[in-house]
């Protein structure tokens, strides 16, 4: 029986740290196009209290989305010890492509996945590049697609990347712009042969897409400041509607996934949620606990099972889940570790509205029959 196993992970965090002082001179406007009368100090304090974001990361000038994706991808390939020429697919999750630094236009031709293949100098013509445009849920959806390709024996090794430079598509006059950041994550998913009763790797997954009246909860639009003409493509987010939707839908989907896999929440060692808003993530987990009638975990205990990075890294869209996963696996998140045999639950919510999740169990030992002898390590 074929199981889909993570054989390598990697990430890229920009070195430019953006703190609250960066926004102190911004002129914030409301949805009606009027300047907000509150002081920036008051606006920023309220924002930080809700989201817990103290810092975020922005790419340096001259770095593109495809550049940082390639950096994370190379790290994942190195970590996997799999020759890059044995990658059958590259699935690249993003939403805006490479953003031009002057015109602020999105460049999607050629695709980001094709650019990543080029930057990695993969010569294999049978390695197919796919772009996954799926909101902040793109990386998990890319993993789900990769799993299906592996299960159907159409591939043996797939590279799934996630990258975004949201600092280049945010409205400087919108308070919500302080949420967003830049970053990239990547994983290599490989087919391994197991006995039928052995369940490692991707155990179960689910996706839900509400693309009717909820379609425009998160979209693009002109600046809230009518006189700002620098970019016509800016993220526009109805935070309250997204929050309400997340609390209504995400906990139910997670419990249904666990029920389908014959697992209980107590079987899960870590819950890795998309880092969108600290208040929302805490509320999602509390709602999930409520579905189990479990009141034994308080907030300090929640943080033991649900690691958070949004406080220092902000919301980097598709990159948040794989970045957090890689940091834990590399021992870079204090008080958090993932051991062989551990089962984790990953979930995300994004534009669409799309939500998805995945249950993954880490193997106790490597069993990749396709990559026993890897003689070419050169990337």
């Amino acid at each position: 029986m074929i199981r889909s196993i993570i054989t390598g992970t990697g990430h890229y965090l920009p070195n430019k740290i953006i703190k609250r002082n960066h926004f102190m001179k911004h002129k914030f406007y409301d949805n009606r196009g009027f300047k907000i009368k509150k002081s920036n100090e008051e606006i920023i304090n309220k924002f930080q209290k809700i989201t817990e974001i103290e810092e975020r990361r922005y790419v340096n000038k001259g770095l593109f989305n495809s550049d940082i994706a390639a950096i994370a991808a190379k790290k994942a390939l190195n970590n996997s010890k799999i020759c890059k020429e044995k990658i059958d697919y590259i699935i690249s999750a993003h939403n805006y492509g490479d953003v031009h630094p002057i015109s602020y236009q999105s460049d999607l031709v050629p695709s980001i996945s094709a650019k990543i293949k080029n930057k990695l100098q993969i010569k294999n013509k049978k390695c197919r590049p796919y772009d996954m445009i799926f909101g902040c849920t793109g990386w998990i959806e890319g993993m789900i697609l990769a799993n299906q390709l592996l299960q159907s024996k159409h591939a043996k090794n797939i590279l799934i990347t996630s990258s975004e430079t949201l600092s280049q598509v945010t409205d400087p006059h919108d308070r919500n712009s302080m949420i967003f950041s830049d970053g990239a994550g990547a994983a290599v998913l490989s087919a391994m042969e197991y006995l039928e009763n052995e369940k490692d790797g991707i155990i179960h997954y689910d996706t839900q897409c509400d693309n009717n009246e909820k379609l425009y909860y998160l979209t693009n639009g002109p600046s809230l400041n009518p006189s700002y003409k620098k970019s016509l493509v800016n993220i526009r987010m109805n935070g309250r509607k997204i929050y309400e939707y997340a609390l209504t839908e995400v906990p139910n989907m997670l419990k249904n996934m666990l029920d389908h896999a014959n697992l209980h929440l107590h079987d899960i060692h870590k819950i890795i949620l998309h880092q969108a808003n600290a208040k929302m993530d805490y509320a999602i987990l509390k709602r999930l606990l409520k579905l189990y009638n479990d009141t034994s975990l308080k907030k300090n205990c929640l943080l033991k099972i649900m690691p958070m990075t949004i406080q220092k890294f902000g919301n980097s869209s598709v990159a948040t889940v794989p970045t957090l996963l890689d940091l834990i696996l590399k021992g870079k998140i204090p008080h958090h570790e993932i051991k062989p045999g551990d089962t984790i639950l990953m979930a995300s919510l994004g534009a669409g509205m799309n939500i998805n999740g995945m249950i993954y169990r880490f193997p106790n030992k490597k069993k990749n029959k396709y990559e026993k002898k890897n003689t070419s390590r050169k990337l």
Side-chain angles (χ1 to χ4, degrees), residues 17-28 40-41 44-45 47-48 53-56 58 178:
I17 299 174
I18 304 298
K19 299 186 179 183
R20 57 183 287 136
N21 290 341
H22 176 84
F23 303 98
M24 287 304 294
K25 294 183 179 180
H26 282 215
K27 295 179 180 179
F28 293 113
N40 281 17
E41 183 75 24
I44 295 170
N45 283 342
F47 166 86
Q48 189 168 320
I53 299 174
E54 303 167 2
E55 303 171 358
R56 68 284 294 151
Y58 288 178
M178 293 186 285

Side-chain angles (χ1 to χ4, degrees), residues 38-79:
K38 294 179 181 178
S39 70
N40 281 17
E41 183 75 24
E42 188 177 354
I43 292 171
I44 295 170
N45 283 342
K46 184 177 180 180
F47 166 86
Q48 189 168 320
K49 183 178 180 180
I50 293 173
T51 67
E52 294 189 7
I53 299 174
E54 303 167 2
E55 303 171 358
R56 68 284 294 151
R57 302 293 183 98
Y58 288 178
V59 293
N60 290 320
K61 188 176 181 181
L63 268 182
F64 288 93
N65 191 344
S66 57
D67 292 324
I68 63 175
I71 294 171
K74 188 171 184 178
K75 291 179 179 179
L77 284 168
N78 274 324
N79 184 232

Side-chain angles (χ1 to χ4, degrees), residues 91-97 108 130-145 148 160-164 205-211 215 218 245 253 274 317-319 347-357:
I91 301 174
S92 174
H94 64 92
N95 296 290
Y96 290 95
L108 296 170
Y130 283 172
D131 277 24
M132 175 67 71
I133 312 297
F134 209 72
C136 294
T137 52
W139 183 77
I140 290 181
E141 199 64 26
M143 293 284 284
I144 291 170
L145 174 59
Q148 294 168 343
I160 306 96
T161 71
S162 59
S163 56
E164 206 65 89
Y205 56 84
D206 196 10
T207 301
Q208 175 179 308
C209 306
D210 281 312
N211 306 139
L215 181 66
L218 199 156
Y245 179 79
M253 187 192 73
H274 166 49
S317 183
V318 291
S348 54
L349 173 148
M353 295 300 289
N354 302 324
I355 61 175
N356 57 16

Side-chain angles (χ1 to χ4, degrees), residues 118-267:
N118 174 271
K119 293 175 191 294
L120 293 174
Q121 298 182 9
I122 294 176
K123 306 299 183 185
N124 178 11
K125 294 180 181 180
K126 294 296 184 179
C127 173
R128 282 167 276 186
Y130 283 172
D131 277 24
M132 175 67 71
I133 312 297
F134 209 72
C136 294
T137 52
W139 183 77
I140 290 181
E141 199 64 26
M143 293 284 284
I144 291 170
L145 174 59
N147 173 66
Q148 294 168 343
L149 289 166
L150 296 173
Q151 293 285 313
S152 63
K153 299 185 180 180
H154 284 93
K156 297 178 181 178
N157 300 293
I158 299 177
L159 172 64
I160 306 96
T161 71
S162 59
S163 56
E164 206 65 89
T165 53
L166 295 180
S167 62
Q168 298 171 340
V169 291
T170 52
D171 178 6
H173 302 286
D174 186 349
R175 289 168 290 184
N176 289 328
S177 67
M178 293 186 285
I179 288 177
F180 300 111
S181 64
D182 306 336
V188 177
L189 199 64
S190 299
M192 297 188 185
E193 197 169 69
Y194 276 73
L195 297 175
E196 189 172 352
N197 63 341
E198 294 180 309
K199 290 188 177 181
D200 285 342
I202 296 177
I203 297 174
H204 189 58
Y205 56 84
D206 196 10
T207 301
Q208 175 179 308
C209 306
D210 281 312
N211 306 139
N212 293 305
E213 68 274 9
K214 301 174 180 64
L215 181 66
Y216 295 107
Y217 283 2
L218 199 156
T219 183
N220 292 317
S223 172
L224 295 176
N225 179 357
S227 63
Y228 180 80
K229 306 297 182 184
K230 195 170 184 178
S231 173
L232 296 177
V233 181
N234 305 282
I235 298 175
R236 184 71 60 245
M237 181 173 65
N238 189 329
R240 181 177 294 277
K241 289 290 187 181
I242 293 173
Y243 183 88
E244 292 171 352
Y245 179 79
L247 266 61
T248 301
E249 300 292 339
V250 176
N252 291 327
M253 187 192 73
L254 297 181
K255 187 175 187 302
N256 288 338
M257 285 173 53
L258 290 167
D259 290 345
H260 190 276
N262 293 318
L263 295 172
H264 190 278
L265 185 60
H266 291 302
D267 297 316

Side-chain angles (χ1 to χ4, degrees), residues 88-130:
D88 300 300
Y89 289 86
I90 298 173
I91 301 174
S92 174
H94 64 92
N95 296 290
Y96 290 95
D98 285 341
V99 181
H100 193 279
I102 297 176
S103 67
Y104 289 89
Q105 287 186 307
S106 294
D107 178 7
L108 296 170
V109 180
S111 67
I112 293 298
S113 54
K115 290 178 181 177
I116 293 169
K117 181 179 175 181
N118 174 271
K119 293 175 191 294
L120 293 174
Q121 298 182 9
I122 294 176
K123 306 299 183 185
N124 178 11
K125 294 180 181 180
K126 294 296 184 179
C127 173
R128 282 167 276 186
Y130 283 172

